[in-house]
């Protein structure tokens, strides 16, 4: 298949592009606007592969996207382009409404116009995969309850509300226009090439540099962590084999509190790259004002994708985190320019 990946220069999108080119026979057209969160260097390993093409463009530009779909004759769309950082959505929700809601609407309309013009087997095989988050379900108490595909939507932040809206649009385009849509909702990802505004890379880089390690509130919020390569494999399974009109929850069954995550990073960094002063990194932890509206706990029941599509996470949190920390130690060339010019670690989204 020739797959159009939107947002392919971002964290998860670039992992999807690398997985498609390195581990499958599919071809990739990566459509990305190159916002602050994008890094084309995340795609260096596949940039010269004949099955990979990069196109700079905006999903809000329907005519441009429709022309691209027709020119490239794509077989499927994997839609990841989004504004993705909850803290930024608290400071400025406008870009989230535009890209995540209006952008998804424009992309769905471009896809519908393209798909309507297809014929025969090509039309029957076309698929639109909308990639979303478990944050659309709101939060869970500190018990053993899990999000299933039937959990009602109850988003808390401007980010998760914009993603919930886009999920509803994608499913409505399936029900109303019969556009062949599949949907997935995934828990928190981590891994290489993660933009250092997010918790895990921020703590790794601050820890490496011996800086303070900010933890929101008491650090008791729980997330279900998934290694990004496991998510990329799951996404390609959903895009190519998922049942149309159906959603799939994706998660690693790796629940950890934020404080546990930060402490594990501290201990791993102390082992792999101790500070010259000998200071244990745990002493750098700072409990700071909590995020407004901070969801307490997310946890995914991944039974459907495991039983119906045969997917299973390969990394545990321990193996995935060690790989991730080693990657940041070995790939200063990727993150140093970002820390110096695009995001230096300042607090975002502290005030509602
Ligand atoms: N990061 C997570 O833990 C997580 C978990 C579940 C789901 N998701 C979803 O997965 C997707 C990717 O997340 P991510 O963490 O890789 O995000 P990211 O912020 O790292 O990357 C987003 C990419 O989208 C591009 N983009 C933004 N606006 C665009 C536009 N108008 N047109 C074209 N490209 C545009 C950016 O340039 C960037 O390359 C998002 O839809 C997100 O909601 C993320």
């Amino acid at each position: 298949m020739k797959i159009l990946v939107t947002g392919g220069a971002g964290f998860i999108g670039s992992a999807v592009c690398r997985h498609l080119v390195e581990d499958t026979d599919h071809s990739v057209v990566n459509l990305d606007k190159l916002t602050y969160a994008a890094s084309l260097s995340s795609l260096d390993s596949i940039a010269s592969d004949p099955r990979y093409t990069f196109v700079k463009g905006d999903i809000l530009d329907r005519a441009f996207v429709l022309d691209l779909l027709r020119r490239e004759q794509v077989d499927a769309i994997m839609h990841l382009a989004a504004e993705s950082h909850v803290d930024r959505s608290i400071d400025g929700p406008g870009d989230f409404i535009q890209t995540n809601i209006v952008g998804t609407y424009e992309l769905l309309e471009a896809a519908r116009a393209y798909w309507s013009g297809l014929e025969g087997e090509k039309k029957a095989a076309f698929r639109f995969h909308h990639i979303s988050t478990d944050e659309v379900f709101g939060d869970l108490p500190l018990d053993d309850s899990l999000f299933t595909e039937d959990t009602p939507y109850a988003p808390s932040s401007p980010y998760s509300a914009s993603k919930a809206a886009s999920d509803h649009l994608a499913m409505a385009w399936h029900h109303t226009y019969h556009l062949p849509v599949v949907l997935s909702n995934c828990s928190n990802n981590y891994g290489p090439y993660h933009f250092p505004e997010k918790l895990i890379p921020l703590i790794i880089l601050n820890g490496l540099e011996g800086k303070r390690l900010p933890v929101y509130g008491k650090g008791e919020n729980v997330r279900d962590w998934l290694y990004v390569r496991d998510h990329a494999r799951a996404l390609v399974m959903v895009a190519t084999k998922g049942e149309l009109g159906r959603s799939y929850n994706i998660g690693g069954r790796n629940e950890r509190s934020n404080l546990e995550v930060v402490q594990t990073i501290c201990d791993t960094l102390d082992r792999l790259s101790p500070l010259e002063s000998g200071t244990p990194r745990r002493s750098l932890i700072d409990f700071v004002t909590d995020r407004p509206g901070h969801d307490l706990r997310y946890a995914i029941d991944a039974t459907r994708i495991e039983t119906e599509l045969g997917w299973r996470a390969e990394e545990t949190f321990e193996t995935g985190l060690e790989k991730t920390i080693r990657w940041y130690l070995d790939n200063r060339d990727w993150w140093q320019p970002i820390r110096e010019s695009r995001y230096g670690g300042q607090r975002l989204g502290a005030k509602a």
Side-chain angles (χ1 to χ4, degrees), residues 6-14 31-39 57-60 79-85 98-100 103 130-135 159 163 184-190 193-195 197-198 225 231 235:
T6 72
F11 168 50
I12 302 172
S14 66
L31 170 66
D32 199 295
K33 183 183 169 185
L34 301 184
T35 68
Y36 82 94
S39 290
D58 192 332
I59 55 165
L60 280 153
H79 174 36
L80 295 101
E83 289 295 332
S84 70
H85 191 37
Q98 278 306 310
T99 297
N100 300 1
H130 179 64
I131 283 96
S132 190
T133 165
D134 63 351
E135 300 189 30
Y159 163 69
K163 291 298 292 186
S184 57
N185 297 91
C186 186
S187 60
N188 282 43
N189 283 215
Y190 69 100
Y193 304 103
H194 204 181
F195 193 83
E197 65 190 352
K198 306 278 168 56
W225 293 96
H231 188 201
L235 289 178

Side-chain angles (χ1 to χ4, degrees), residues 27-43:
S27 304
V28 182
V29 179
N30 171 8
L31 170 66
D32 199 295
K33 183 183 169 185
L34 301 184
T35 68
Y36 82 94
S39 290
L40 280 179
S41 58
S42 306
L43 298 147

Side-chain angles (χ1 to χ4, degrees), residues 36 93 101 111-112 149 165 167 208 220 252 262:
Y36 82 94
I101 305 178
R112 184 163 76 95
E149 287 81 359
D167 291 12
L208 259 178
E220 62 191 1
V262 172

